[in-house]
Amino acid sequence: MRNEPCKTCQNLECIIKRNSHVPEVEEYLALKHTIQCKKGQQFILEGAPVHGLYFVYNGKVKVAKTGFQGREQIVRFAKDGEIIGHRGFGIGQSYQINAVAIEDTVLCNFTNDTLQDMLHKLPNLTYDFMMFYAEELNRSETKVRKFAQMTVREKVIDAFLYIFRKFGQTNDYLNIQLSRKEIADFAGTTDEQVIRVISSLKKENLLRASGKRLGIVDVPRLKKEISEHNFFLDS
């Protein structure tokens, strides 16, 4: 597949896009690889050798780790312009996560050598990456506190609010279809508990469902339920 040009890319939050106007970056943009993944395709395998960083050009991705007794724990979802594989870059020889396309997805990839050369020679890009990693650390620490303090219901509500913030909602339904198991793997609970909470939220007219499709009826009321945890990060 041909490389999508960074300069005409619409992902304004992408770190590479934000620095694509710098003349010195031109030679590196030509080294980018563009990869197309079908829905359900895994493009990062946990424990596999690191092959640089991936940037979502278009699509949706789930990022997960293998947890206790081999259970999958979804650590986050990624959309257009976001980075995947950054926790393995520069610190080890293998990826600490796996990544799967939730829908047909186009990815941009820069190898380790290319990125390291860019970071040595492009100070603005290096600064943007430093700020990105600082935000990631803050999110990780906040998530640890949240998991320790929240009830099962609060975890599921928080998961729905996160999905709403990241992907939005159209025609009363979230712009992403996730299985009950995927919601449970992200919320850090079980499928059965997620099903019970969803049923309860539907009865309280806080959530609507149509098959696998789910939609939030009253965002302010859901936020109020978990407001004491003060967890309203963007992603």
Side-chain angles (χ1 to χ4, degrees), residues 24-146:
E24 293 82 2
V25 81
E26 289 281 354
E27 62 180 291
Y28 299 108
L29 298 184
L31 300 175
K32 181 184 71 176
H33 303 283
T34 302
I35 303 163
Q36 190 160 18
C37 295
K38 294 294 185 182
K39 179 180 178 180
Q41 183 176 340
Q42 185 172 28
F43 60 92
I44 293 181
L45 179 66
E46 189 172 355
V50 174
H51 294 294
L53 296 186
Y54 294 86
F55 299 79
V56 182
Y57 175 75
N58 178 260
K60 299 180 180 73
V61 171
K62 67 175 180 180
V63 180
K65 285 182 65 70
T66 301
F68 182 65
Q69 294 184 338
R71 180 184 175 92
E72 182 178 79
Q73 174 67 56
I74 297 177
V75 295
R76 68 186 182 100
F77 296 97
K79 61 178 181 178
D80 300 1
E82 296 189 342
I83 303 174
I84 302 168
H86 52 279
R87 296 199 179 188
F89 174 67
I91 60 172
Q93 300 300 312
S94 60
Y95 288 112
Q96 302 303 304
I97 51 89
N98 64 73
V100 177
I102 297 174
E103 62 183 30
D104 290 353
T105 298
V106 178
L107 302 161
C108 301
N109 171 263
F110 289 89
T111 66
N112 290 347
D113 290 343
T114 298
L115 278 167
Q116 286 173 1
D117 203 22
M118 291 170 74
L119 293 174
H120 277 106
K121 296 179 180 178
L122 303 169
N124 287 342
L125 178 66
T126 304
Y127 176 80
D128 282 350
F129 264 100
M130 182 183 72
M131 296 306 296
F132 166 76
Y133 276 104
E135 288 183 19
E136 279 292 296
L137 178 60
N138 181 49
R139 291 189 181 106
S140 295
E141 291 177 345
T142 304
K143 192 168 185 177
V144 169
R145 292 197 302 272
K146 174 193 72 172

Side-chain angles (χ1 to χ4, degrees), residues 180-196:
R180 303 315 191 245
K181 181 181 185 305
E182 287 173 321
I183 295 170
D185 289 343
F186 179 67
T189 184
T190 65
D191 309 16
E192 294 78 11
Q193 289 173 321
V194 165
I195 291 169
R196 282 198 293 270

